[in-house]
Amino acid sequence: MKFQVNRDVFSDAVSFAVKLLPQRTTLPILSGVLIEAHEGGLTLSSFDYEVSSQTSIAAEVDEEGTILVSGRLLADIANRLPSAPVVFTTEETRISVSCGSANFSLLSMPVEEYPTLPTPGPQSGVVPGDKFSLAVSQVAVAASRDDVTPVITGVQLEVTENALSLVATDRYRVAVRGIDWDSGSAGTGATPDKPSLTALVPARTLQEVGKTFGSATTLSVSITGTEDRELISFQADDKVVTSLLIKGNFPPVKRLFPETVENYAVMNTAELVEATRRVSLVLEREAALRFTFTIDGLTLEAIGSEQAQASESIDALLTGDDTVVSLKPQFLLDGLGAVHSEFVRISFTKTENPNKPGPVLITSQSSKDQPGADSYKYLLQPNLLLR
């Protein structure tokens, strides 16, 4: 096999192919990148039995062929090659890589032992790449990182009519965002005789998909499955990512969101973020901040530590009763970071026990008086107040 390829194009393609590979694998062959040289150029692929990535790029191919080479080593090399055309040639089990004055000799891996990549199913629908990327970044932060309960380490995608909803939870918080969904001729959506389409995707995979396809005008999504294998694929701009879906029933957390809340406060998002970061500096690990909302504004307090205490007050426009809640600062900051608006609304829900505060609902606010235009919602369970 012999081909010549643009250095920057090749480096980007290898980086994409290895991005979703696991850092460690029990099967070394799964750490490889498969490079197929054909008349039209190159196809680079990776697959670890759960996630696959594939991309095609232009190249001058003198001799067609297929090689398998260590992915992360190749990515490191490609990223540091000089600005010159890259030439690949193979001889028996060795791969020669030359670029300008740089030369590398790599050991090839056995292609015949590499698994067959999954084939994406028919298109289920398309979404705008930028809106999908933003929605993923807003929601995935609430997914659990505890593998003990795999079902909540994913983001639930729910297709109904012309909308796609993304939902994630780690039991302490729930994040939801909806965006437009175009099923086109696929006809994917809710009908009287056909339930809505759902897919539970690993949060880490979905985050990388969001970053990769954020600049795509349209992102094609395919959700297919049999009894033993359910698969989702994302495709745009000569790039394809597939992922096995997480098996299990995602908890019905969307019903936790209240339809209306009469008690809420509106404040400047940046001011609340900065105040939370400052006051939480004196907190011990896993401790919570006390937030006191009154007609005069919001006061943040870090108490309960003998070594240091802190407090700060900022402007807040309160509607309803004075409220005191205790929130973990990082969980609050995650929600505030996903709002993407100048102002934020924190709404206070009620419980049957008047001494136990309900979850707080965080939503965007375009101004002090007007709610935000997006559908992002972040529900955070407060800690019990220290008495």
Side-chain angles (χ1 to χ4, degrees):
M1 184 179 78
K2 183 178 182 180
F3 64 82
Q4 179 176 299
V5 63
N6 177 278
R7 181 261 187 204
D8 292 338
V9 172
F10 182 72
S11 178
D12 289 344
V14 176
S15 296
F16 165 74
V18 304
K19 191 176 294 183
L20 287 168
L21 284 177
Q23 294 291 337
R24 297 180 181 83
T25 176
T26 54
L27 296 174
I29 199 166
L30 297 182
S31 66
V33 167
L34 191 71
I35 303 177
E36 300 169 86
H38 42 79
E39 184 178 351
L42 305 179
T43 299
L44 292 83
S45 311
S46 66
F47 183 39
D48 68 352
Y49 287 116
E50 292 187 2
V51 181
S52 78
S53 302
Q54 188 172 80
T55 183
S56 298
I57 58 174
E60 296 179 13
V61 178
D62 294 325
E63 296 178 18
E64 297 183 1
T66 303
I67 57 173
L68 183 65
V69 61
S70 172
R72 300 205 181 278
L73 175 59
L74 184 61
D76 289 341
I77 291 172
N79 191 44
R80 287 172 171 77
L81 289 174
S83 183
V86 185
V87 178
F88 272 67
T89 57
T90 59
E91 185 174 346
E92 296 182 350
T93 61
R94 306 300 299 185
I95 303 169
S96 173
V97 183
S98 61
C99 180
S101 58
N103 295 280
F104 294 85
S105 178
L106 308 176
L107 181 65
S108 63
M109 305 167 79
V111 173
E112 63 276 6
E113 295 181 15
Y114 199 70
T116 302
L117 270 71
T119 303
Q123 176 179 288
S124 302
V126 297
V127 292
D130 57 347
K131 291 184 179 179
F132 182 78
S133 177
L134 175 59
V136 170
S137 69
Q138 290 177 301
V139 170
V141 69
S144 175
R145 293 166 179 78
D146 186 358
D147 292 333
V148 174
T149 312
V151 73
I152 57 173
T153 63
V155 176
Q156 175 90 334
L157 306 186
E158 301 174 357
V159 179
T160 55
E161 298 181 357
N162 296 319
L164 169 64
S165 177
L166 296 86
V167 192
T169 184
D170 61 2
R171 292 197 182 95
Y172 304 102
R173 53 199 171 154
V174 184
V176 174
R177 174 70 200 275
I179 60 173
D180 294 336
W181 170 273
D182 182 5
S183 60
S185 59
T188 302
T191 61
D193 59 347
K194 180 181 176 184
S196 60
L197 194 63
T198 62
L200 186 53
V201 188
R204 174 181 172 268
T205 301
L206 200 63
Q207 285 174 305
E208 290 297 343
V209 167
K211 295 174 186 176
T212 298
F213 297 110
S215 60
T217 304
T218 57
L219 176 62
S220 173
V221 183
S222 168
I223 303 172
T224 55
T226 59
E227 291 184 359
D228 59 340
R229 186 181 181 86
E230 292 184 315
L231 190 75
I232 188 169
S233 68
F234 304 90
Q235 185 169 358
D237 301 331
D238 296 321
K239 291 183 173 71
V240 183
V241 173
T242 72
S243 173
L244 287 180
L245 301 182
I246 299 174
K247 292 185 177 181
N249 296 318
F250 193 76
V253 290
K254 290 175 74 173
R255 66 184 183 186
L256 299 175
F257 288 89
E259 292 186 7
T260 59
V261 183
E262 297 179 354
N263 193 188
Y264 59 86
V266 175
M267 55 238 89
N268 181 278
T269 307
E271 288 182 4
L272 180 55
V273 167
E274 291 304 315
T276 301
R277 287 174 175 165
R278 276 191 293 269
V279 177
S280 63
L281 288 173
V282 301
L283 282 180
E284 296 179 355
R285 189 177 180 183
E286 297 299 315
L289 287 180
R290 177 177 291 189
F291 295 79
T292 303
F293 296 87
T294 68
I295 194 68
D296 296 322
L298 165 63
T299 299
L300 299 79
E301 298 173 279
I303 57 179
S305 169
E306 295 182 357
Q307 294 182 344
Q309 294 85 34
S311 67
E312 184 171 344
S313 297
I314 63 172
D315 291 336
L317 184 62
L318 179 67
T319 299
D321 301 328
D322 293 357
T323 302
V324 181
V325 292
S326 183
L327 304 171
K328 286 192 175 181
Q330 190 54 56
F331 284 0
L332 175 63
L333 290 171
D334 287 342
L336 297 176
V339 165
H340 297 293
S341 60
E342 183 179 357
F343 295 92
V344 62
R345 175 186 291 201
I346 298 183
S347 305
F348 312 106
T349 65
K350 304 293 184 182
T351 64
E352 296 180 358
N353 184 349
N355 296 320
K356 183 180 179 181
V360 298
L361 175 61
I362 296 174
T363 53
S364 64
Q365 192 85 2
S366 58
S367 68
K368 285 189 176 181
D369 304 314
Q370 296 295 324
D374 67 19
S375 61
Y376 177 69
K377 295 186 292 185
Y378 184 87
L379 197 65
L380 175 58
Q381 179 66 44
N383 290 42
L384 292 177
L385 289 169
L386 299 172
R387 296 295 178 184

